Amino acid sequence: KINILGVNITHITQAEVLNKIQEFLNSRKQFFIVTPNPEIILEAMEKDEELWYILNHAALALVDGVALKFAAWFYGKNVNRTTGADMLVEILKLAERENNKVAIFNWQDCLSTGLEIKQVLALKFTDLKVFVQDLGRLGPYDFTAANKFSPDIIISTLGFPYQEKFIYYNLVKIPSAKLGLSVGGSFDYLTGRTKRAPKWLRRIGLEWLWRLIKQPKRGKRIYRA
């Protein structure tokens, strides 16, 4: 791990991430994964001690944001970026292949509705067993239907810091689940609600520029990151 502004970031390759996830799913314990970007780390460092605690107690804290890669260079480390969007697709492929059930807790005000997510997954991952529930950012939550479905993996799209806190506090309430993770708006790329930056921009670390062009109102957030 590499400590960046108080948050321990996992130094790991994408292949190792998938191996770890397979281990988690075969375990009797429960694990959760976070994908901190610069905005999340700044929030945890400056304002939200609860979020800081959760980030530092995750099984894996994967680098999502090129600025964290730059920061790691100051520690003499060349960390691998594993964005939430990329990891989501790989986990869905793994779940489909291994016959794992996936429950998605989708923010009701997200760009993509639960129905849209369910429809696109039925097209792209035809053998995937999936449960989708739209909900608000604040509880209380009713997990009766989710527990009846008995998922192996739970995914939250509530946006930070709500999604990280949702996974941390509610994973234990779904005993069948071995893995919990938060993915922000990653499903919006699958449903087509948001167009992702071209691969060549992502490769050279300029996905933030694409977002700035598409959403100028994010300028202040991107500058701080």
Side-chain angles (χ1 to χ4, degrees):
K1 292 183 181 290
I2 302 168
N3 189 283
I4 299 178
L5 298 181
V7 175
N8 289 314
I9 302 297
T10 311
H11 183 32
I12 192 171
T13 66
Q14 184 167 315
E16 290 170 335
V17 170
L18 293 175
N19 287 337
K20 279 288 184 184
I21 289 172
Q22 188 69 71
E23 289 178 20
F24 296 159
L25 293 172
N26 292 331
S27 173
R28 294 182 179 180
K29 298 180 181 180
Q30 292 184 313
F31 303 86
F32 69 97
I33 297 173
V34 294
T35 54
N37 60 26
E39 293 177 49
I40 292 174
I41 287 184
L42 285 173
E43 181 76 13
M45 180 189 72
E46 297 178 344
K47 300 178 182 178
D48 196 332
E49 187 175 352
E50 183 182 16
L51 175 61
W52 174 87
Y53 179 89
I54 291 170
L55 294 177
N56 281 308
H57 283 77
L60 298 175
L62 306 175
V63 171
D64 189 353
V66 71
L68 294 184
K69 187 176 180 70
F70 297 159
W73 287 347
F74 285 93
Y75 296 92
K77 302 290 185 181
N78 185 27
V79 297
N80 295 284
R81 287 183 64 206
T82 306
T83 66
D86 292 332
M87 185 182 67
L88 173 63
V89 171
E90 294 304 319
I91 288 177
L92 293 175
K93 288 179 182 178
L94 185 151
E96 182 182 39
R97 185 171 65 248
E98 299 296 329
N99 202 32
N100 295 130
K101 295 180 180 179
V102 178
I104 300 163
F105 297 98
N106 184 56
W107 183 30
Q108 62 190 15
D109 294 322
C110 197
L111 286 177
S112 302
T113 66
L115 179 59
E116 288 174 323
I117 291 173
K118 196 166 186 177
Q119 288 174 336
V120 76
L121 292 181
L123 290 172
K124 293 180 179 291
F125 304 92
T126 54
D127 295 324
L128 180 66
K129 296 180 177 67
V130 64
F131 166 90
V132 185
Q133 181 177 346
D134 285 329
L135 40 75
R137 282 177 162 173
L138 303 177
Y141 302 112
D142 183 356
F143 295 113
T144 303
N147 277 315
K148 187 175 181 180
F149 177 71
S150 192
D152 302 290
I153 301 169
I154 67 170
I155 298 174
S156 171
T157 72
L158 298 182
F160 86 91
Y162 306 97
Q163 58 189 9
E164 289 81 12
K165 295 177 182 181
F166 176 88
I167 293 293
Y168 182 77
Y169 290 113
N170 294 301
L171 181 58
V172 69
K173 298 176 184 177
I174 306 175
S176 64
K178 298 297 182 289
L179 176 65
L181 63 146
S182 50
V183 298
S186 296
F187 278 106
D188 294 334
Y189 297 124
L190 289 177
T191 62
R193 285 285 191 166
T194 299
K195 184 174 176 59
R196 197 171 181 193
K199 283 186 177 179
W200 68 271
L201 272 179
R202 283 182 261 156
R203 288 196 185 111
I204 62 176
L206 289 179
E207 191 167 5
W208 61 268
L209 180 59
W210 175 268
R211 290 180 179 175
L212 179 60
I213 294 170
K214 292 290 184 179
Q215 298 173 293
K217 65 181 180 179
R218 293 174 60 99
K220 185 177 178 181
R221 293 167 56 186
I222 291 173
Y223 172 77
R224 279 173 50 77

